[in-house]
Amino acid sequence: MGQGCDKFSSCLTSDPAGDVPASRCLPVGPKFLIYVSGALSMWGDRMWHFAISVFLIELYGRNLLLTAVFGLVVAGSVLLLGALIGDWVDRNPRNKVAHASLFIQNISVTVCSIVLMLVFLYKQRIEQIWDGWLTVVCYTVVIVLADVANLASTALTIAIQRDWIVVITGYNRGHLAGMNATMRRIDQVTNILAPLAVGQVMTLASNVVGCGFILGWNLVSLIVEFFFLSRVYRIVPALSIKPPVEEEEQNPMPLNIKHEGNTTQAEPLTEGNCDTSLTCKDGWKAYYRQPVFLAGMGLAFLYTTVLGFDCITTGYAYTQGISGSLLSLLMGVSAITGLMGTVMFTRLRKSYGLVNTGIISSCLHLGCLLLCVCSVFAPGSPMDLSLLVPFINSSSPELGDIVSQRKKHAYPLRGGSNQPLLPDRSSIHWTNNTLLFDNVPSDTVPESYISIILLFLGVITARIGLWSFDLTVTQLLQESICESERGVVNGVQSSMNYLMDLLHFIMVISAPQPQHFGILVIISVLFITTGHTMYFLYAHKTILSHVASLLLIRPLGNIPGCPERNIKGT
């Protein structure tokens, strides 16, 4: 195998000993195929997630009710079924899991698009059938199909990005970090471009044409992704090998990733907590007993935040006099800083090791978010201090004056209860997860832009540390979890992420006005600080274990939860 590379082969998989340098392999190896199939899948997901929200708003008389129901159904289903999905990924052959997930996801989106096209074309007729109940049935079918597609997408993500790439890289930490970073860069780019693309189709043509565009994309993407993943499975023999349950029960030692020199070795972890005989109800217990439990929980806590480019933050910015075109530009800048975070991750990991990379990323993330905290109290902030002290006016006249001054900076959107939520489509900028308006009312200009500038400066720069930290925890989960538990643990991790994301929407529902946003910022920073504190505790425990192993002159692989890769980058 050391004589050369087959044009579809990979150095890492065809020659584990590393005799063939990576530079001699053609770019159509397994990694390239995974990147292309991943890009197609992410592009389709981003288009669909954006479009379905807009479609539901249009269907229900430009009301957010259906969108809210859809969000709750999606979050609740992943929260309840995440462990079950992961357990299904663990218990079945890798090719069957990938193909089934891919097929279910794309067919669900295709059928859902067809239903939406019919509803848009014959909405008036449908509303007259069964006294309008057929409309309710159509809405239910759309939401159920979209939810099934999201569950299948979750299974595919767990299978490919949490399991396949670990095997494809030959259990090499450096190559694994590179693949993780590349996949995240692809995700960052598609996160901006895909919604813009489908939004332009919907804007220039119609919702029906938009549904047809998504339908066609999914059918083509299904064929290409199916072929590429099948090809990867055939040329990487290790993917077809999953240790039998009986074998792992006798010797529950998952592969630890250890890299020495130019060779990649598989070293067993002596973790007695790895067990393939897991059921759904055991998934949460399996997640809790993982050495990286605190790191995973820390990542989940970062989802409870309003400090991102979603509909909440951009909506707040609109009330503060920021135009849609400027917001679109800021989103592009945030994508660039996110890409910088992926580059920083690979360099820090190589120089300081994986655990230390997480520490540095955490500090950078928290440091940048301090700007957001400062924005709450800066000139131009609409924060209402009476929300913190209920009877502030009666108890303290001085503070009451401050409150009245703060209220002057609140600029709620104009419009009565009967005014449509969205203006004519020509005045809308289609962007990711939000609808941005060009026609900002002239009386929404704040007295000072210092507050909003500090807010977005903090949000944009914090994405460097955020994505570096995210990649750090992702690789820790990949490296530290038993092969037999990768699916179920990552399924529970997805459930935790959705749970914490639900909390941030509950926060917004509880405090929806612009003058409440400062409180949401402070709460968000507290949650993020808690998450990073959990990671610091994990890192502290890991480093202490490493020091103890050196003092006892014991092999690092024999220290539960302290593989060498977590301390030094190679």
Side-chain angles (χ1 to χ4, degrees), residues 33-44 183 186 190 217 225:
L33 296 176
I34 288 292
Y35 292 151
V36 175
S37 63
L40 291 173
S41 179
M42 293 174 191
W43 188 280
M183 294 294 285
I186 295 173
T190 57
W217 178 276
E225 290 182 64

Side-chain angles (χ1 to χ4, degrees), residues 12-44:
L12 297 174
T13 55
S14 63
D15 191 3
D19 295 336
V20 182
S23 60
R24 291 175 56 188
C25 290
L26 295 179
V28 287
K31 297 203 307 188
F32 176 80
L33 296 176
I34 288 292
Y35 292 151
V36 175
S37 63
L40 291 173
S41 179
M42 293 174 191
W43 188 280

Side-chain angles (χ1 to χ4, degrees), residues 84-105:
L84 180 62
I85 292 173
D87 188 56
W88 174 73
V89 171
D90 285 333
R91 292 179 177 276
N92 292 275
R94 290 186 173 97
N95 61 333
K96 292 184 178 180
V97 169
H99 292 163
S101 302
L102 183 65
F103 182 81
I104 294 173
Q105 177 192 10

Side-chain angles (χ1 to χ4, degrees), residues 21 24 26 28 48 58 60 100 104 107 134 173 193 195 207 217 250 300 309 324 371 375-376 407 472 488 509 545:
R24 291 175 56 188
L26 295 179
V28 287
W48 175 244
E58 293 285 346
Y60 203 67
I104 294 173
I107 294 302
L134 182 58
R173 290 180 296 166
L193 298 181
N207 288 328
W217 178 276
Q250 296 174 0
F309 278 90
L371 293 173
S375 72
V376 174
K407 287 182 177 180
T472 298
V488 69
I509 292 173
S545 299

Side-chain angles (χ1 to χ4, degrees), residues 1-11 13-15 20 24-30 231 234-235:
M1 298 298 293
Q3 301 300 320
C5 291
D6 181 82
K7 72 174 183 176
F8 287 109
S9 66
S10 168
C11 310
T13 55
S14 63
D15 191 3
V20 182
R24 291 175 56 188
C25 290
L26 295 179
V28 287
R231 185 62 183 170
R234 287 197 300 269
I235 63 180

Side-chain angles (χ1 to χ4, degrees), residues 30-186:
K31 297 203 307 188
F32 176 80
L33 296 176
I34 288 292
Y35 292 151
V36 175
S37 63
L40 291 173
S41 179
M42 293 174 191
W43 188 280
D45 282 347
R46 297 303 185 184
M47 285 199 307
W48 175 244
H49 289 161
F50 172 80
I52 186 63
S53 298
V54 177
F55 291 154
L56 292 175
I57 291 176
E58 293 285 346
L59 284 176
Y60 203 67
R62 296 187 173 184
N63 188 290
L64 289 174
L65 178 61
L66 279 183
T67 305
V69 171
F70 171 66
L72 289 175
V73 170
V74 167
S77 60
V78 176
L79 179 61
L80 295 176
L81 302 178
L84 180 62
I85 292 173
D87 188 56
W88 174 73
V89 171
D90 285 333
R91 292 179 177 276
N92 292 275
R94 290 186 173 97
N95 61 333
K96 292 184 178 180
V97 169
H99 292 163
S101 302
L102 183 65
F103 182 81
I104 294 173
Q105 177 192 10
N106 285 272
I107 294 302
S108 297
V109 172
T110 299
V111 175
C112 190
S113 298
I114 294 174
V115 174
L116 285 169
M117 291 175 68
L118 294 175
V119 173
F120 280 123
L121 289 172
Y122 305 104
K123 185 176 181 181
Q124 293 183 350
R125 295 184 183 179
I126 292 174
E127 290 175 347
Q128 297 173 357
I129 300 176
W130 299 347
D131 295 328
W133 282 102
L134 182 58
T135 304
V136 178
V137 172
C138 291
Y139 293 164
T140 303
V141 170
V142 168
I143 291 176
V144 170
L145 287 174
D147 184 47
V148 171
N150 183 74
L151 292 174
S153 176
T154 300
L156 186 63
T157 300
I158 293 174
I160 302 300
Q161 298 187 28
R162 301 297 183 266
D163 183 31
W164 279 46
I165 67 173
V166 179
V167 180
I168 290 173
T169 56
Y171 298 93
N172 182 296
R173 290 180 296 166
H175 293 292
L176 179 60
M179 283 201 73
N180 285 332
T182 302
M183 294 294 285
R184 191 54 49 84
R185 290 165 193 157
I186 295 173

